[in-house]
Amino acid sequence: MEQQKVERMKATDFPKEVLSLYDRYVHGMIDRRAFLDGASKFTLGGLTAAGMLTALSPNYAHAQQVAPDDPSIRTEYVTVQSPDGHGIIRSYLARPARVTAKLPGVLVVHENRGLNPYIEDVARRLAAANFVALAPDGLTSLGGYPGTDEVGVEMQRTLDRDMLLQDFISGVRFVREHSECNGKVGAVGFCFGGGIVNQLAVKVPYLVAGVPYYGGQPTADDTRRIQATLMINYASMDERINAGWPAYEAALNANGKDFTMHMYDNTMHGFHNDTTPRYDEAAANLSWNRTLAFFNENLRS
């Protein structure tokens, strides 16, 4: 008998202060103890502070919109050479089961916790939409995604960010040179991954299209070097990331860059991630449909 999914809570179920503490915790600004101490000042039904942390943390029972054994796609783990990064990167490759013509490629960049099941599912969603998708695991040099996001965050924090960026640059190159790719490559990333997509747009001149979700912005000077077309997604309640948007927008406009920005009302950082209470189904679906349309428009010959 199929196992029933645990009913998920919504972000609106939690005090705003607890959500703010959680955002700071998952982005390494405070440690677990500080979260628990801060959250203990608030009440939520019968949940303790530890219970609130568990409820806010990902539940990967929800992260499978496309099953790994879906007959319409093929998946495998491949090794990407990253000589300027961490040497080799284990990556999840997904593409349609039948490829009759060369397809666009898309790099999928994870959050600040390694290649978890949610990101693998995003790669499969792209494969189901007729793309060659590659999702590298930035934690490869430390043994790979450890199975829990909490440990993954701690692991990723120890890595050199410049070398990690090089690993994802190598991923773009791998997809572009793949035998089933048409040579046009885009990138989509979430949170840390959104910031990486912005940096890939700066560093990789052959990146055609980028979709950063709630990612940190490059400097005004770096923005001058962007050649890719961008579709930028923000959450309206994400004050920390949104603070950098006015300067980024000004730099994009001043340098004549091709971009669009979508701000999703009443959403929080991480609204696309369907494994946590911050998930917003309507915004996630709308943004994803826009993402697929954007890649179709820019990456198909």
Side-chain angles (χ1 to χ4, degrees), residues 278-295:
R278 297 187 293 178
Y279 173 62
D280 186 293
E281 183 176 11
N285 289 340
L286 176 57
S287 68
W288 189 245
N289 289 336
R290 284 171 168 168
T291 295
L292 293 179
F294 176 77
F295 283 147

Side-chain angles (χ1 to χ4, degrees), residues 22 49 110 131 150 170 179 198 203 217 231 235 246 252 262 265 275 288-289:
Y22 181 74
H110 58 66
F131 294 91
E150 188 170 19
S170 296
S179 62
N198 280 323
K203 301 283 187 180
Q217 302 88 358
M231 189 183 78
L252 288 165
H262 299 290
D265 291 339
T275 72
W288 189 245
N289 289 336

Side-chain angles (χ1 to χ4, degrees), residues 103-289:
L103 302 174
V106 178
L107 187 81
V108 184
V109 189
H110 58 66
E111 305 140 307
N112 64 332
R113 61 210 66 178
L115 180 59
N116 60 33
Y118 156 62
I119 297 298
E120 290 190 349
D121 194 69
V122 171
R124 293 194 297 270
R125 296 174 206 177
L126 285 161
N130 214 29
F131 294 91
V132 176
L134 183 79
D137 187 353
L139 299 184
T140 300
S141 63
L142 300 177
Y145 175 68
T148 69
D149 281 19
E150 188 170 19
V151 177
V153 169
E154 293 300 321
M155 291 170 63
Q156 188 161 321
R157 192 180 300 157
T158 68
L159 292 174
D160 182 281
R161 292 179 69 91
D162 291 335
M163 292 177 66
L164 193 53
L165 175 59
Q166 289 298 324
D167 294 334
F168 290 107
I169 290 174
S170 296
V172 177
R173 186 182 308 115
F174 180 95
V175 178
R176 186 178 185 231
E177 295 175 355
H178 192 276
S179 62
E180 294 174 332
C181 180
N182 66 4
K184 290 187 176 183
V185 182
V188 60
F190 308 88
C191 183
F192 161 83
I196 290 292
V197 171
N198 280 323
Q199 288 300 320
L200 293 174
V202 171
K203 301 283 187 180
V204 183
Y206 52 81
L207 185 77
V208 177
V211 182
Y213 275 77
Y214 26 83
Q217 302 88 358
T219 66
D221 189 55
D222 280 346
T223 300
R224 293 188 298 107
R225 299 165 55 191
I226 291 175
Q227 297 185 39
T229 300
L230 298 175
M231 189 183 78
I232 302 163
N233 293 310
Y234 287 125
S236 66
M237 299 169 66
D238 188 4
E239 297 178 359
R240 179 176 56 85
I241 291 297
N242 294 351
W245 170 240
Y248 191 23
E249 180 183 30
L252 288 165
N253 282 322
N255 290 284
K257 302 305 177 183
D258 187 0
F259 74 97
T260 55
M261 188 277 282
H262 299 290
M263 183 72 72
Y264 294 86
D265 291 339
N266 301 314
T267 59
M268 303 190 66
H269 186 98
F271 70 78
H272 184 270
N273 187 332
D274 50 2
T275 72
T276 81
R278 297 187 293 178
Y279 173 62
D280 186 293
E281 183 176 11
N285 289 340
L286 176 57
S287 68
W288 189 245
N289 289 336

